Every structure is written in C-alpha cells, then in structure tokens.
Amino acid sequence: MRIAELLSAVLPAATPWLFSFALMTAFELLLPRDRHSARGRIAGVLFWAIWLPVMAATYAMFRSLWHWIGIEPLLILPLQFRWAGPFAMILAPIAGAAVYDFFFYWCHRAQHRWFWRYHAVHHSIRELNAVNAYHHITEPLFQAVLLLAPASLFGSDIGYLAPAMAVVLHLHASFIHSPTSVHLGPLRIFFCDNRFHRIHHSLEERHFDRNFGAFTTLWDRLFGTVYFPAEDEWPDVGLAEIGQPRGVIAWLTLPYRLRERDDTAPAAVASANI
C-alpha cells in the first residue's frame, strides 16, 4: 500500500476517534470520577498514533480482499424505520450499532477464550480512560477475522445514516472506558455506560467474564453474561500479574511476556476480562 493510499485510509478512520478522544477527555478533566496522570495519557496517545494506521491499512486490505473474492451480504436488514418519521434519524443509527454490537460481543468472547494473550494488553490498563483504552498492535487482524468477516455477511439499508452510526460507535467506545462522573442513569438498562463496562475490566473475581457488549446490554442479558453494578460500584481495574505498558516496546511485547492462559496460576487471572 502506497503512502498516499495509506493516508487516504487513515484520515477517515482516525477522524471519529480523534473527535471521541477530545470530547471524552474534556469530560474526564471537567467532571472526573478518577484523576489520571499525564504520563499515562501521553503513552496512550502514542500507542494510538501507531495503532490507527495499522488498523486503517488492515481494514482497507480486508475490504479489497472481500471485493476481489466477490463476497456480498447474504441478508439486508431493514433498519430505516420509515414508519418513525423524523425519529428514524435517531433509531436507525442506534439499531445499526446494536446489530454490529452482536458481532462484537461474540468477537470479544472469542478473544477471551482463545486469544487472551493479545487481548490482555487492553485489560492490563490500570489508568483506564478514553485515550488509554488501547489494544495490542495485532487487534485489527483479530477484528478482521472475528468481527468484520461475519458482520459483512449482513448488510443494512440505513444508507446515508451509516456515518452517524460510525460516530455513535466511536463516541460510545470512548465513553465506556472513561472515568468521568457522567453516566447514562436509567438508560443503562439498554445501553452500556462507563459503570457497566468498568465491571468487565475489574480486578475482582466476581466480575470476571461479565459485560462483553460495548454498545448495548441486550446481548449480555440474552446470553447470560450481564452484571449490573450498584450505583456506587466502581472497582479497580487492570491485571493482577502485570502492569500496563508505559513504552512502545513494553506495549508490543506484553503478550509474549504473559504465560499461556491455561498456565496462569489463579483462575481469576485466567479469566481476567474489554
């Protein structure tokens, strides 16, 4: 892939992330629940600066491969909600995001079950915030196979509202990792918020392998992995056996410094949890 092609792929992919990071970091600084170090945030920004071009290039190659093979959606889901009139502009992106989250839910569970070593990078973060919610450099490869491939078999007819769905997903992904005092209140029954997702990152054994969804609580409720936190429940996060990476080399090599999941001593470590 040439530099110009890479840039043309990176800019559209990076823009919603940058908007989400800026907005949620502002909330974290103005309405904090936890206060985090500048050093941790700077490391997160650096990792994202490396990760986003890799993600954009991987996704672009996936789309090119799918186009070359000629794979088309097997089913088009009717998500335009024409009957809702002007409210369709709200309902359609939300419905599209909820459907996408179904595929993310199972991708996420597969990562915990079979690819924990690499996904553990995301769970090692102890100063969890919008810019610190990074993944390992290999994450786009796993997402291409476990998320994009199956999701590509199901299209939708939301058309011009697709960019709105993308913004919703990116903003929500930053929000659920954010240590801000802002949350969704009673709406968390259906939508994941930062309190709900923090349980997934918790160091407490009773929270392990819970709350895999990133947008809606629906799939966790349906498949028996839901845990609704109490109003004041805000557990410490990270991994007991290894700290979050503070430099690029530590970030890249963390999966290889972890023992295989089956060999990790306590069951609590083995199940440690997005």
Side-chain angles (χ1 to χ4, degrees), residues 109-128:
R109 289 194 67 168
Q111 287 179 300
H112 275 245
R113 180 64 182 87
W114 293 297
F115 306 107
W116 170 249
R117 235 185 192 194
Y118 302 93
H119 187 60
V121 172
H122 184 59
H123 280 273
S124 69
I125 302 165
R126 295 179 182 177
E127 289 187 313
L128 189 63

Side-chain angles (χ1 to χ4, degrees), residues 17 39 61 102 108 112 139 160 174 195 199 237 268 271:
W17 280 118
R39 179 189 176 192
M61 287 187 287
F102 169 82
H108 196 179
H112 275 245
E139 177 76 7
Y160 71 96
S174 293
R195 295 181 300 172
I199 295 300
V237 297
S271 331

Side-chain angles (χ1 to χ4, degrees), residues 33 128 172 175-189 191-202 207 210-211 217 227-235 237:
R33 173 137 191 178
L128 189 63
H172 201 80
F175 169 58
I176 62 175
H177 294 99
S178 182
T180 176
S181 59
V182 176
H183 55 77
L184 296 182
L187 290 178
R188 72 185 183 129
I189 294 298
F191 298 106
C192 304
D193 67 2
N194 49 353
R195 295 181 300 172
F196 182 87
H197 191 65
R198 192 171 180 89
I199 295 300
H200 183 70
H201 284 264
S202 174
H207 296 150
R210 298 291 183 180
N211 298 2
T217 64
Y227 179 102
F228 285 107
E231 198 166 320
D232 60 346
E233 200 166 4
W234 189 259
V237 297

Side-chain angles (χ1 to χ4, degrees), residues 23 54 65 70 73-74 82 91 110-111 114 124 127 133 147 149 155 166-168 194 209 230 240 244-245 248:
L23 182 61
V54 174
L65 175 62
L74 300 176
R82 290 189 178 93
L91 294 176
Q111 287 179 300
W114 293 297
S124 69
E127 289 187 313
L147 177 58
V167 171
V168 167
N194 49 353
D209 290 326
Q244 71 183 66
V248 173

Side-chain angles (χ1 to χ4, degrees), residues 1-268:
M1 180 176 284
R2 294 191 294 259
I3 298 295
E5 292 175 331
L6 180 59
L7 286 175
S8 67
V10 169
L11 290 177
T15 300
W17 280 118
L18 295 175
F19 170 74
S20 302
F21 293 158
L23 182 61
M24 291 317 308
T25 298
F27 273 103
E28 292 168 9
L29 296 176
L30 294 172
L31 298 166
R33 173 137 191 178
D34 288 340
R35 294 194 179 275
H36 293 170
S37 68
R39 179 189 176 192
R41 294 182 191 273
I42 291 170
V45 169
L46 175 60
F47 300 157
W48 278 103
I50 299 170
W51 191 89
L52 282 172
V54 174
M55 180 270 290
T58 303
Y59 283 17
M61 287 187 287
F62 171 82
R63 288 191 294 268
S64 296
L65 175 62
W66 245 226
H67 178 74
W68 180 73
I69 297 173
I71 295 179
E72 299 289 340
L74 300 176
L75 178 66
I76 302 297
L77 302 174
L79 300 178
Q80 285 194 346
F81 295 97
R82 290 189 178 93
W83 53 266
F87 295 104
M89 297 186 66
I90 299 173
L91 294 176
I94 290 176
V99 171
Y100 187 79
D101 198 48
F102 169 82
F103 295 100
F104 174 81
Y105 174 90
W106 287 108
C107 166
H108 196 179
R109 289 194 67 168
Q111 287 179 300
H112 275 245
R113 180 64 182 87
W114 293 297
F115 306 107
W116 170 249
R117 235 185 192 194
Y118 302 93
H119 187 60
V121 172
H122 184 59
H123 280 273
S124 69
I125 302 165
R126 295 179 182 177
E127 289 187 313
L128 189 63
N129 55 56
V131 297
N132 255 6
Y134 49 79
H135 292 266
H136 191 250
I137 197 73
T138 57
E139 177 76 7
L141 296 174
F142 291 116
Q143 288 191 358
V145 175
L146 300 172
L147 177 58
L148 298 185
S152 69
L153 301 179
F154 297 85
S156 68
D157 59 359
I158 62 174
Y160 71 96
L161 292 174
M165 186 191 82
V167 171
V168 167
L169 284 170
H170 284 83
L171 186 58
H172 201 80
S174 293
F175 169 58
I176 62 175
H177 294 99
S178 182
T180 176
S181 59
V182 176
H183 55 77
L184 296 182
L187 290 178
R188 72 185 183 129
I189 294 298
F190 186 76
F191 298 106
C192 304
D193 67 2
N194 49 353
R195 295 181 300 172
F196 182 87
H197 191 65
R198 192 171 180 89
I199 295 300
H200 183 70
H201 284 264
S202 174
L203 277 165
E204 298 180 31
E205 187 173 355
R206 64 198 176 102
H207 296 150
F208 291 165
D209 290 326
R210 298 291 183 180
N211 298 2
F212 287 96
F215 180 72
T216 176
T217 64
L218 174 63
W219 311 121
D220 281 293
R221 284 189 281 133
L222 187 61
F223 298 113
T225 53
V226 74
Y227 179 102
F228 285 107
E231 198 166 320
D232 60 346
E233 200 166 4
W234 189 259
D236 289 335
V237 297
L239 295 180
E241 78 274 28
I242 196 165
Q244 71 183 66
R246 297 291 184 179
V248 173
I249 300 302
W251 172 54
L252 295 174
T253 61
L254 189 146
Y256 313 106
R257 291 184 283 115
L258 280 173
R259 292 170 292 172
E260 290 289 351
R261 177 170 177 158
D262 289 343
D263 295 333
T264 49

